[in-house]
Amino acid sequence: MTTTDTQMNNYLARLRTALTGMTLAEREDVVQEIRMHIRERSSDVQASVEETLAGLGPAEELAQQYRTGLLVQRARHSISPLVILGATLRWATTGVEGFLVFVVALWGYGMGISFLLLALLKPFFPQYTGLWVGPGEFDFSFRMGVTMTNPASPVHEVLG
Amino acid sequence: MTQLNFSTPEIETSDKWEAQMRKGCLEMAVLASLWHGRLYGLEILRVLERDSRLVLSEGTIYPILNRLRAEALVQSQWVEAEAGHPRKYYELTRNGRGRATRMATTWTEFSAGLSLLIEPVLKEKERKRDL
């Protein structure tokens, strides 16, 4: 085995390891395509294997592009909060835009879960569960959740 | 003639807005490159470079093709080549042709409107250059 074969095989082994979240067949298909690209690129265009591997970028980054693309694609067609959050978390690691989307998604799910808990607790503890608004430390306060003491006026509860 | 370059180091150093704009066009460009028939990855890179001056880094094209395949916009097939090694060819599906048509229409309308808007900006630039 030549040095260039060793370089290519090492790169493909790293790629194979980093390609998580795929079936074995999908992973081998990707590895095979990249292998053929390296062979053809380095034979036809007279580029060395080193140059071809540099053009592809680090194996781990290439694998991350595959994973991110597929996760975002799955999230588009999924209603599962876990799939959507997983996709945005992966996206968040790739740039500012993804990070902002992740923060907004996390906040949205947090608010959703809070309202769900309120709806479940409200029938049992109507006086101590709710959403209170009114003048606070500054001009306006907003409080939501369960409290041990019934908040007194001037705040008022808006969930009924 | 300026060349649009998509290689990763170039994006890091070039203007952010320009990079985002180019990135947004990639899907349309890849779908359009397959309009006349099936191509394999390296051929797509060459067609994009030759016909649209889009120079993608080699590591960019394959994840995009994989995602387009997962979205059923393209389909792929391994074909044994005369050169000795098999090649994975991609071709547009019916959905892919539809998506490419819609994207091309949107792009044409959008760029035509924007061209009108930026015309005075370019004229001003030309006027300053002539002075």
Side-chain angles (χ1 to χ4, degrees), chain A residues 63-85:
Chain A
Q64 185 169 342
Q65 287 190 61
Y66 273 101
R67 291 198 308 263
T68 305
L70 288 178
L71 261 173
V72 171
Q73 187 271 332
R74 280 175 197 157
R76 275 185 193 169
H77 301 281
S78 173
I79 55 168
S80 163
L82 286 179
V83 172
I84 295 170
L85 264 185

Side-chain angles (χ1 to χ4, degrees), chain A residues 29 33 37 40-41 66, chain B residues 40 58 62 78 88 90:
Chain A
D29 195 61
E33 185 172 32
H37 173 88
E40 181 152 357
R41 182 90 171 80
Y66 273 101
Chain B
Y40 62 97
E58 291 164 38
Y62 293 104
W78 282 99
K88 193 176 178 184
Y90 293 87

Side-chain angles (χ1 to χ4, degrees), chain B residues 4-50:
Chain B
L4 303 179
N5 198 315
F6 274 86
S7 65
T8 311
E10 287 297 322
I11 286 176
E12 282 171 3
T13 51
S14 68
D15 180 67
K16 247 184 174 180
W17 173 81
E18 198 178 329
Q20 287 295 325
M21 184 184 69
R22 291 173 182 182
K23 223 175 176 180
C25 302
L26 276 183
E27 190 174 314
M28 180 180 67
V30 172
L31 290 175
S33 71
L34 294 168
W35 189 258
H36 294 298
R38 69 180 192 182
L39 298 171
Y40 62 97
L42 203 50
E43 270 184 318
I44 296 173
L45 285 171
R46 288 170 185 155
V47 167
L48 291 176
E49 188 174 347
R50 187 193 65 209

Side-chain angles (χ1 to χ4, degrees), chain A residues 2-158:
Chain A
T2 62
T3 315
T4 52
D5 281 345
T6 309
Q7 280 178 315
M8 181 176 75
N9 288 336
N10 285 344
Y11 184 90
L12 294 174
R14 280 166 50 208
L15 179 65
R16 187 181 285 111
T17 307
L19 282 171
T20 52
M22 286 184 179
T23 64
L24 194 61
E26 286 171 335
R27 197 182 304 183
E28 287 309 313
D29 195 61
V30 168
V31 171
Q32 180 70 351
E33 185 172 32
I34 299 298
R35 184 195 303 278
M36 291 306 138
H37 173 88
I38 297 168
R39 284 204 176 143
E40 181 152 357
R41 182 90 171 80
S42 46
S43 62
D44 282 7
V45 197
Q46 303 298 317
S48 66
V49 170
E50 287 95 333
E51 284 168 336
T52 307
L53 296 182
L56 287 167
E60 292 74 19
E61 279 182 26
L62 181 59
Q64 185 169 342
Q65 287 190 61
Y66 273 101
R67 291 198 308 263
T68 305
L70 288 178
L71 261 173
V72 171
Q73 187 271 332
R74 280 175 197 157
R76 275 185 193 169
H77 301 281
S78 173
I79 55 168
S80 163
L82 286 179
V83 172
I84 295 170
L85 264 185
T88 51
L89 178 61
R90 184 67 54 77
W91 192 8
T93 61
T94 63
V96 177
E97 185 189 12
F99 178 74
L100 288 175
V101 171
F102 175 69
V103 170
V104 171
L106 201 61
W107 181 82
Y109 279 121
M111 289 299 283
I113 291 169
S114 303
F115 275 111
L116 186 67
L117 286 175
L118 278 184
L120 289 173
L121 292 170
K122 188 74 175 166
F124 302 104
F125 311 103
Q127 298 296 315
Y128 304 104
T129 310
L131 176 66
W132 292 274
V133 292
E137 194 176 343
F138 299 102
D139 287 323
F140 181 76
S141 76
F142 167 91
R143 213 165 101 197
M144 182 172 81
V146 181
T147 176
M148 298 306 287
T149 55
N150 188 10
S153 184
V155 294
H156 67 281
E157 211 275 310
V158 296

Side-chain angles (χ1 to χ4, degrees), chain B residues 64-108:
Chain B
I64 292 175
L65 286 167
N66 198 49
R67 183 168 54 78
L68 293 176
R69 192 173 55 83
E71 288 188 56
L73 298 174
V74 300
Q75 59 191 19
S76 61
Q77 189 187 11
W78 282 99
V79 176
E80 203 65 43
E82 286 175 12
H85 35 244
R87 289 164 174 163
K88 193 176 178 184
Y89 279 87
Y90 293 87
E91 63 182 333
L92 289 176
T93 61
R94 181 193 284 259
N95 283 345
R97 294 190 91 79
R99 173 79 69 90
T101 307
R102 283 194 298 279
M103 285 178 129
T105 308
T106 307
W107 171 265
T108 308

